[in-house]
Every structure is written in C-alpha cells, then in structure tokens.
Amino acid sequence: MRYFITLSYDGTRFHGWQIQPNGTTVQEELQKALSVLLRQKVSVTGAGRTDTGVHARMMVAHFDIDSEIDGVQLAYKLNKFLPSDIAIQKIEQVADDMHARFSATSRTYHYYIHTAKSPFLHHYSCELHYPLDFPKMNEAARQLLEYDDFGAFCKAHADVKTTLCKVTKAEWHQTSADTWYFEITANRFLRNMVRAVVGTLIEVGRGRLSLDDFRRVVEGKRRTEAGESMPGNALFLERIEY
C-alpha cells in the first residue's frame, strides 16, 4: 500500500531534502522516524529536492508498506517523534501508481527579499540595500513564459537528462514598503534554478542587464552568463499540485 505524507520544514539546519553522506537531511530524519514507529525499514521518495538551507511550506513524499495504517494516528506520532523544525500535516493512502515526484503537475517557489534591515526577517529573507526596478524585473520575468529550455539557470555539472521546463507563472509581489517576494510555478525545476533566476532578475532590477540582455541570457543557455545564485535561506517551496 502506498501513502503520501504532506509535511513542512525549516531548512536552516539541514543539508537539503535528499540524503547526503555527510550532513543531516530532512529525508533522513523522516525515514528514521518512520522506521522506528512502523518497526520496519521504510524508504521515502520526495516530490523533489531542496538545497541546503532551503525551506518548504509544503513537501510531499511517498512510502510503501504491506499493511494498512491509520494515517491520522501516524501523523500524530511522527509529530511527537520528529524535531521541531519538521511538521507533518497529513498522511493519506493513495493509488499504487501515484508517485510523489512523477505524478506532480506543478511546483511553486517563493523567494523573499527585504530592503530595510529587520531582526525578524534575516533568517528567511534576503536583505538588499540597492534600488531595484521591480516593474522592469517583472517584464523580464514574463519573458520566462516564452521559453522551455532553462540551461542558463541550471547548476554547472548537474546530473540532469534535460533542461526543459514549462514555466507558467513568474512574478514579483510587494507585501509592504520594504518587502517583496518572487513567485514562480513550473512543471519541474532544475537544480539551483530558482535562485539563479532571481539573481539574474536582480541584475535587471539594478540596471546591469537590459531586457534584451536577459533574453539573450535565457537563449544562450550558459550558466556563466546568468546572474549569481542567491542565498538559500530566503527560498521556500510553497505548493505542489497533483
């Protein structure tokens, strides 16, 4: 029987979602907890991977087990067992052919920035102190919807078979006089893609890249031409659709 787990986590102390040889990860913590509570070795598969320091308001993972379980009770026990920076929202049985990663139709990320020093934001938002032209950044962001190859924003030497993605939304939103976030939705994302996109849009906002320059970066498909990768602490995986 296959079960979906919906969870959230603060990625600050984790070396990302996926198990690493050296460093604590969310997947490792979840697998250990499930294995203890279910008294058998359990392997979980996530909807994707988040990098070191990146957070998730919604992550979905699946696991298989021979016997039927009470998802409500297991979620309760997991929340008691897991550290405070991982929270389980629900556990539900799904069809055997449902896959946390491959059955997902879209994923949405938010990247947060603030332009005035705040003791309450610096852990989860990127502090910037130069003027940014957000209307121009939104013009550039809209160009992303015209393309399907995002090799320019893929981490160098990443082990990917294709750099094709379908971006359906890319937009900056202002939430106060000093705070903004970038929202991007796609069917899939490349490793480091969102932070590289944001870094390149920041270059547009600072006047270092024109709209035509931004288009040439996308069409050039070379990571060296795009902006720098932004810090991971301000990035949140927000939603996954099935």
Side-chain angles (χ1 to χ4, degrees):
M1 296 178 178
R2 177 157 293 181
Y3 289 85
F4 266 23
I5 303 179
T6 303
L7 67 150
S8 57
Y9 54 85
D10 180 330
T12 302
R13 72 177 181 92
F14 295 109
H15 287 70
W17 160 265
Q18 190 169 2
I19 289 177
Q20 305 292 331
N22 299 303
T24 303
T25 67
V26 181
Q27 183 184 30
E28 178 186 16
E29 292 275 2
L30 184 57
Q31 286 190 172
K32 287 194 301 186
L34 280 168
S35 297
V36 169
L37 293 173
L38 296 176
R39 298 177 182 176
Q40 60 182 278
K41 187 175 181 179
V42 177
S43 177
V44 299
T45 300
R49 63 175 68 176
T50 55
D51 292 335
T52 299
V54 175
H55 318 288
R57 295 193 207 277
M58 179 185 183
M59 170 61 88
V60 177
H62 77 250
F63 69 94
D64 297 317
I65 191 170
D66 292 335
S67 56
E68 188 173 346
I69 58 174
D70 184 331
V72 174
Q73 279 298 312
L74 181 57
Y76 174 79
K77 291 178 181 178
L78 274 174
N79 277 325
K80 291 288 189 181
F81 192 92
L82 287 164
S84 59
D85 46 10
I86 302 175
I88 308 299
Q89 274 75 55
K90 61 180 177 179
I91 299 176
E92 55 189 342
Q93 187 176 352
V94 296
D96 289 344
D97 61 350
M98 284 291 289
H99 193 284
R101 178 182 174 190
F102 299 123
S103 298
T105 56
S106 74
R107 298 155 173 87
T108 297
Y109 281 88
H110 287 182
Y111 193 90
Y112 294 84
I113 68 170
H114 57 287
T115 55
K117 185 177 180 180
S118 168
F120 308 111
L121 295 177
H122 71 283
H123 285 303
Y124 305 106
S125 178
C126 182
E127 187 174 319
L128 301 176
H129 290 291
Y130 33 74
L132 292 169
D133 185 340
F134 284 97
K136 189 176 180 183
M137 290 159 67
N138 266 331
E139 284 188 66
R142 283 192 288 273
Q143 293 179 4
L144 297 171
L145 278 62
E146 303 173 25
Y147 296 93
D148 57 13
D149 193 327
F150 294 93
F153 307 114
C154 183
K155 186 172 184 177
H157 311 300
D159 183 21
V160 293
K161 295 180 180 179
T162 176
T163 53
L164 299 179
C165 309
K166 179 60 179 175
V167 175
T168 53
K169 186 172 187 178
E171 186 177 6
W172 286 94
H173 302 273
Q174 186 171 15
T175 52
S176 77
D178 305 313
T179 58
W180 298 75
Y181 70 88
F182 178 64
E183 180 177 17
I184 184 167
T185 301
N187 64 329
R188 65 187 290 263
F189 286 92
L190 308 172
R191 189 174 181 190
N192 209 51
M193 177 174 163
V194 180
R195 290 190 286 152
V197 167
V198 173
T200 311
L201 289 172
I202 293 293
E203 293 296 286
V204 173
R206 298 183 71 178
R208 294 181 171 184
L209 288 178
S210 68
L211 293 174
D212 288 339
D213 290 335
F214 184 81
R215 189 178 291 278
R216 280 192 286 271
V217 167
V218 179
E219 293 177 352
K221 305 174 188 177
R222 289 187 289 274
R223 180 66 186 92
T224 53
E225 295 183 358
E228 67 179 55
S229 180
M230 300 296 284
N233 68 293
L235 181 60
F236 285 74
L237 173 57
E238 291 281 334
R239 290 190 308 278
I240 303 169
E241 301 286 345
Y242 289 90

